[in-house]
Amino acid sequence: MSGHGPEKDKHEEKETKYVTDEHQEEMAGELVPDFTMERTKTRVNEGFSARAIAYVSLALAILSLFILPGILGIAGTLLSIPAIIRGEKLIGGWALSIAVFSLSLYYLFLPYI
């Protein structure tokens, strides 16, 4: 009996190897979606361009120096952040700095008005 037990273990190992080797197929190509660079290019071009958002935020920031700094300054700040993220760092940075400057002057002098 003791000699019969290890033979079963070897036989069982062979069966499990045979079963696992039988079903080895490559399925990753069918399961993973196709990502190409063309899709990302079309996704970036959708909607408003970063340059348009940056110029609008710059205009709002400059206007906030003269009229309604509480509203236009916040709007210029909020619009300049997506412009900076989308790549217009120079114009968006100027818009952000002017809008923050306008808001800081507004809140600094608000108690005296």
Side-chain angles (χ1 to χ4, degrees):
M1 286 182 93
S2 63
H4 192 12
E7 291 178 13
K8 283 186 176 180
D9 292 335
K10 287 181 185 178
H11 182 65
E12 288 176 9
E13 288 178 15
K14 286 182 183 178
E15 284 182 16
T16 55
K17 283 184 182 178
Y18 177 74
V19 170
T20 56
D21 288 342
E22 182 181 317
H23 297 290
Q24 288 184 356
E25 296 177 6
E26 182 152 349
M27 296 180 60
E30 292 86 12
L31 297 177
V32 178
D34 185 27
F35 294 109
T36 59
M37 293 302 291
E38 294 175 13
R39 287 185 184 173
T40 57
K41 286 180 183 177
T42 57
R43 183 177 293 166
V44 171
N45 291 333
E46 292 176 358
F48 294 108
S49 69
R51 185 163 298 213
I53 294 173
Y55 279 122
V56 169
S57 66
L58 183 63
L60 289 174
I62 292 171
L63 280 175
S64 74
L65 289 171
F66 303 108
I67 56 171
L68 299 172
I71 297 171
L72 296 178
I74 291 172
T77 303
L78 292 178
L79 276 179
S80 65
I81 293 170
I84 292 171
I85 291 172
R86 291 185 181 193
E88 289 294 327
K89 292 184 170 64
L90 182 65
I91 301 168
W94 273 101
L96 182 64
S97 61
I98 292 171
V100 168
F101 177 72
S102 174
L103 282 172
S104 64
L105 285 179
Y106 174 68
Y107 286 117
L108 181 68
F109 291 119
L110 184 65
Y112 303 111
I113 296 175

